[in-house]
Amino acid sequence: MTLIRILMLAANPKNTDRLRLDEEVREIQAALEESRNRDEFDVITRWAVRVDDLQKVLLDHNPQIVHFSRHGGGDKGLILEDEAGQACTVSTQALAKLFSLFQNTIECVCLNACYSEVQAEAIHTSIPFVVGMNQSIGDKAAIKFAQGFYRAIGAQRSIEEAYEFGCNAIDLQHHPDVSVPVIKRKLEVVSTTSAPAVPVTSNPDVLKSSLAPMTSPNSDRSVSIGGSVTGSAIVTGDGNTVSVQFQPAALSQPESVNIQAELNALHALLSQLQSPDKRKIDNALDDAKEELKKPNPDKDEVGQALDRAMTYAQKANGFAEAIDKLRPHVEKAASWLGEHWYKLLPIVGLTV
């Protein structure tokens, strides 16, 4: 039997606030050990991880899942330890490059660290699934998310389902951080003339062996762009496929966009979708609207909230059919948000 290796990396430098990392690791181990499939998992834990340790532990253990428990530094990167046990930041670019070297073996990276969505966004270009946090997350919520996530993994649920279980574990405690964890999925680019669209988990050897239980046969939730950006197909939701002609976005001047009106229109359209994540979609859009009420709203906060809403909506039945109606409002919203948020455009068949 081939074991699924889960590598847990923990760091809490001496000059940073204390985190309950030991409790988080203990809950993860308990969740897996209590599952009926406990013998299928090999959990490796490394404490006080230093920057120089990263390459070695990944090469030594060749994991399928990597779990980070540590402080996050937002745009600056993730916080590990130096030789003296002090905080040392690993840049987002360097971290993304490191994981790209393991793209044929690692299936999921979980960044259970504050403000780690920046790193998740960078890493998911080469790793099929990456979980990050879009803002600060409390110890209790972080532990509950990890507990729910790995309880589902132990029950042989897919990674996306495990993410939903993690969020639900927070929600069951009535904790306000329920919308903080976000999941990023790798986009596969394939030729329309040489091969069909492939699922996000692209390594056939891994799929057929150790991670096969985690890949649900009905979890077709990728976005596949075939060939050029015109005449392509979006594949989204549970078997929810539609052909979309990708077209250049007609971006407006930011000052000409009534962003409140665009968010209201998107909210009205998305509320019509049949989605188990309806509450999360509503919460994300409400977060965006709350930010707009401030005298100087943070566009990145609005963008992150809209990104969360669209990510959840993509999995809903009927999303593909709603793309044409959603497109002009996402286009206007991206115009107002700025270049960094043009990444929202391909969701509705637009390109720049």
Side-chain angles (χ1 to χ4, degrees):
M1 178 179 64
T2 304
L3 293 178
I4 298 171
R5 287 178 298 282
I6 301 173
L7 177 61
M8 291 190 287
L9 305 174
N12 201 161
K14 297 175 183 177
N15 57 336
T16 59
D17 294 337
R18 292 292 93 188
L19 300 174
R20 292 157 60 188
L21 301 186
D22 55 343
E23 183 177 346
E24 180 179 336
V25 171
R26 185 168 61 249
E27 291 294 345
I28 291 172
Q29 291 174 325
L32 292 169
E33 289 169 0
E34 291 167 3
S35 76
R36 61 186 177 184
N37 305 300
R38 65 180 69 85
D39 294 335
E40 298 180 13
F41 298 93
D42 180 20
V43 180
I44 304 118
T45 304
R46 291 293 177 267
W47 298 93
V49 177
R50 298 173 301 179
V51 175
D52 287 342
D53 294 333
L54 280 179
Q55 286 188 352
K56 185 177 187 305
V57 293
L58 290 172
L59 287 167
D60 284 350
H61 299 291
N62 203 29
Q64 283 79 51
I65 298 177
V66 179
H67 182 94
F68 282 82
S69 298
R70 66 193 69 254
H71 287 284
D75 291 336
K76 296 179 181 179
L78 285 183
I79 299 173
L80 300 181
E81 298 187 14
D82 62 15
E83 298 293 335
Q86 301 295 308
C88 182
T89 302
V90 179
S91 75
T92 299
Q93 181 180 5
L95 202 62
K97 176 60 178 176
L98 173 63
F99 279 105
S100 73
L101 300 175
F102 294 90
Q103 60 184 311
N104 292 325
T105 55
I106 295 176
E107 289 293 310
C108 177
V109 175
C110 185
L111 305 173
N112 210 3
C114 299
Y115 301 103
S116 56
E117 184 178 16
V118 178
Q119 289 75 47
E121 187 70 40
I123 294 170
H124 95 287
T125 59
S126 55
I127 301 300
F129 298 96
V130 186
V131 175
M133 305 296 154
N134 60 40
Q135 61 187 51
S136 177
I137 185 167
D139 269 352
K140 182 177 179 181
I143 292 168
K144 283 298 177 184
F145 176 83
Q147 185 182 47
F149 184 91
Y150 288 100
R151 184 180 288 142
I153 292 296
Q156 296 188 336
R157 294 299 191 103
S158 71
I159 292 172
E160 286 191 303
E161 289 175 313
Y163 162 75
E164 297 294 349
F165 272 93
C167 292
N168 180 249
I170 299 175
D171 203 12
L172 287 172
Q173 300 296 318
H174 304 288
H175 200 286
D177 286 349
V178 63
S179 62
V180 174
V182 293
I183 187 168
K184 306 291 181 178
R185 304 161 183 84
K186 179 180 176 183
L187 300 183
E188 292 289 355
V189 180
V190 296
S191 169
T192 51
T193 58
S194 61
V198 296
V200 288
T201 40
S202 58
N203 185 332
D205 293 330
V206 173
L207 284 174
K208 292 176 182 177
S209 57
S210 61
L211 281 185
M214 280 192 260
T215 313
S216 167
N218 295 319
S219 60
D220 174 18
R221 292 174 176 177
S222 61
V223 178
S224 300
I225 301 176
S228 65
V229 293
T230 57
S232 302
I234 284 184
V235 184
T236 184
D238 294 328
N240 194 12
T241 307
V242 63
S243 294
V244 176
Q245 295 296 319
F246 276 72
Q247 55 188 263
L251 295 169
S252 307
Q253 293 297 318
E255 60 273 13
S256 70
V257 176
N258 183 339
I259 187 61
Q260 184 71 59
E262 301 305 329
L263 288 179
N264 287 339
L266 285 169
H267 205 161
L269 290 168
L270 295 179
S271 66
Q272 298 174 24
L273 300 178
Q274 299 299 313
S275 171
D277 296 317
K278 184 179 184 304
R279 179 179 174 184
K280 293 180 180 179
I281 294 170
D282 290 341
N283 287 344
L285 290 171
D286 286 342
D287 287 346
K289 293 175 185 178
E290 284 299 314
E291 183 65 28
L292 286 177
K293 293 178 181 178
K294 297 180 181 179
N296 296 298
D298 186 329
K299 289 191 175 185
D300 280 340
E301 290 289 333
V302 177
Q304 289 170 9
L306 180 56
D307 188 27
R308 293 201 306 275
M310 296 301 293
T311 297
Y312 289 127
Q314 277 185 284
K315 297 181 290 181
N317 290 330
F319 177 80
E321 291 79 4
I323 284 177
D324 286 342
K325 293 180 180 179
L326 292 167
R327 181 179 289 148
H329 304 295
V330 172
E331 186 177 50
K332 292 281 185 66
S335 299
W336 183 83
L337 289 166
E339 186 174 354
H340 177 67
W341 293 101
Y342 290 176
K343 61 188 178 183
L344 294 169
L345 297 172
I347 297 174
V348 291
L350 291 171
T351 184
V352 290

